[in-house]
Amino acid sequence: LFFLIAIYSINPSLLIANDVFEFNVTNIEIDENGNIFKGYNGGEAFTGDVFIKAKNFEYNKKNNLLVSDGDVKLQDKKKNITIIANKISYSKDKEIITAYGNAKIQDIDRNITISSDQIEFKKNVEIITAYGNAKIQDIDRKITISSDQIEFKKNDEIITANSNVNLVDESNKINIDSDKITYLINNEKIFTLGK
């Protein structure tokens, strides 16, 4: 008992449970002394509240990074979001999910959908950033914003769009083009900057 207490006091990280991925895949390949895990031909990966379904997986144990490709669908039950893309990487240590190619994220609680070439979701701070052909839809309020880059701060309920921004408010029949638009969802206010 004294020996175990001494070890854990020297390295307290041993007490913290390492939340790793579990897999249910058709074919498995393990490389680099068990540090690289590859799953092929369809399957699923799980960790905590996150469930991922894809054709292929590659998990790097050292970086705690999972890359999934081929019709990827990720569901986060705790954050109540769904992400669909051609490829999704999930850095478990940093709690950052990045979706590439025909990326789409749906915030089920707020009934907001974001689509783009690339979407990054920082889970710890609850910020979603979309890059390239970005479009966000507030379905309940019938507002759509298109831009080169869109950031959605979920906790603050703020959407910021930069470069080539177009906002369409179907309910109020308003169409705005601007360099930058900030939309305060709770206050239902829109601010523009630039032309």
Side-chain angles (χ1 to χ4, degrees), residues 166-182:
N166 173 257
L167 181 143
V168 177
D169 182 344
E170 290 179 31
S171 299
N172 296 306
K173 299 184 187 206
I174 295 172
N175 189 333
I176 301 171
D177 291 313
S178 181
D179 294 331
K180 181 177 180 178
I181 286 180
T182 302

Side-chain angles (χ1 to χ4, degrees), residues 49-50 74-81 97 121 123:
D49 295 316
V50 175
L74 180 147
Q75 292 177 297
D76 189 326
K77 294 177 184 175
K78 187 175 182 181
K79 304 294 182 182
N80 210 12
I81 64 156
I97 299 170
F121 177 37
K123 289 181 60 171

Side-chain angles (χ1 to χ4, degrees), residues 70-134:
D71 299 324
V72 187
K73 182 177 183 180
L74 180 147
Q75 292 177 297
D76 189 326
K77 294 177 184 175
K78 187 175 182 181
K79 304 294 182 182
N80 210 12
I81 64 156
T82 301
I83 303 173
I84 298 169
N86 296 340
K87 178 180 174 182
I88 294 178
S89 69
Y90 181 14
S91 174
K92 186 70 181 99
D93 292 341
K94 296 177 183 175
E95 287 295 347
I96 296 175
I97 299 170
T98 309
Y100 307 90
N102 297 317
K104 184 177 181 180
I105 185 168
Q106 182 178 14
D107 186 327
I108 297 162
D109 293 332
R110 292 166 181 85
N111 206 13
I112 288 177
T113 303
I114 303 169
S115 59
S116 184
D117 296 334
Q118 179 181 333
I119 297 174
E120 181 182 79
F121 177 37
K122 295 178 182 175
K123 289 181 60 171
N124 290 337
V125 291
E126 296 214 28
I127 295 176
I128 299 169
T129 309
Y131 305 95
N133 298 311

Side-chain angles (χ1 to χ4, degrees), residues 54-67:
K55 288 184 180 174
N56 304 304
F57 297 95
E58 183 172 321
Y59 175 60
N60 185 320
K61 190 176 176 182
K62 289 181 182 177
N63 300 334
N64 208 6
L65 174 69
L66 175 66
V67 178

